[in-house]
Amino acid sequence: MPILILVIVSALSQIMVNSPSYSLSFRPSAGYTQKRLTENLKVPYYVGEQFSKEFTGMNLKNLERSVEDDYISNLRNNCWKEKQQKEGMLYRARYFGDSELYQRAQRARTPSCAKLSEITASLH
């Protein structure tokens, strides 16, 4: 009996959860096939086929603000990871005296940090 209740509660919670209105994926995915760009930062995102009927006016502006906030948050997280990886390489290179690894670490790019700086500059 307790297991049956657990299964029913789990099933009901799955039914009540709404799917997100957009996807920040780099390509179309199940249910998100129409590509759009936010008006302000031109962030690409994908939406479902009913999107234009559901989101207009302030709803659309609020959603696009949410898309941009999520995008910037993703950039911040990726930037942090890129910096950590670069610092780790530099540390290992110094610790082991590996000049080749040091040079590779110096050349390592941080594209998310560059994009984040670009967006920050355009906002101010």
Side-chain angles (χ1 to χ4, degrees):
M1 186 68 163
I3 295 175
L4 181 61
I5 292 172
L6 200 61
V7 170
I8 291 171
V9 169
S10 177
L12 286 175
S13 68
Q14 291 297 321
I15 292 170
M16 296 174 138
V17 173
N18 292 339
S19 62
S21 303
Y22 62 90
S23 169
L24 283 175
S25 175
F26 293 112
R27 55 181 98 126
S29 58
Y32 304 100
T33 56
Q34 297 180 349
K35 185 175 183 178
R36 294 181 56 95
L37 297 174
T38 61
E39 188 175 328
N40 187 26
L41 297 177
K42 307 298 185 222
V43 174
Y45 65 106
Y46 287 89
V47 296
E49 293 185 18
Q50 300 298 317
F51 181 82
S52 56
K53 294 176 186 172
E54 296 174 17
F55 291 93
T56 57
M58 281 307 289
N59 283 344
L60 180 59
K61 288 192 182 302
N62 289 337
L63 180 97
E64 287 193 352
R65 189 174 309 121
S66 179
V67 168
E68 291 176 349
D69 289 346
D70 286 348
Y71 180 72
I72 290 171
S73 179
N74 288 344
L75 283 177
R76 282 188 184 122
N77 289 335
N78 291 339
C79 175
W80 182 83
K81 289 175 189 174
E82 291 165 1
K83 284 181 177 180
Q84 290 294 107
Q85 187 174 17
K86 186 172 183 169
E87 287 296 318
M89 284 175 62
L90 286 168
Y91 175 79
R92 284 190 306 278
R94 286 188 200 112
Y95 184 79
F96 293 112
D98 187 338
S99 60
E100 183 181 322
L101 180 60
Y102 185 81
Q103 293 300 321
R104 205 169 60 210
Q106 288 286 5
R107 290 190 307 268
R109 301 182 54 117
T110 53
S112 296
C113 298
K115 185 68 177 171
L116 187 59
S117 293
E118 181 184 312
I119 287 175
T120 303
S122 73
L123 292 175
H124 297 292

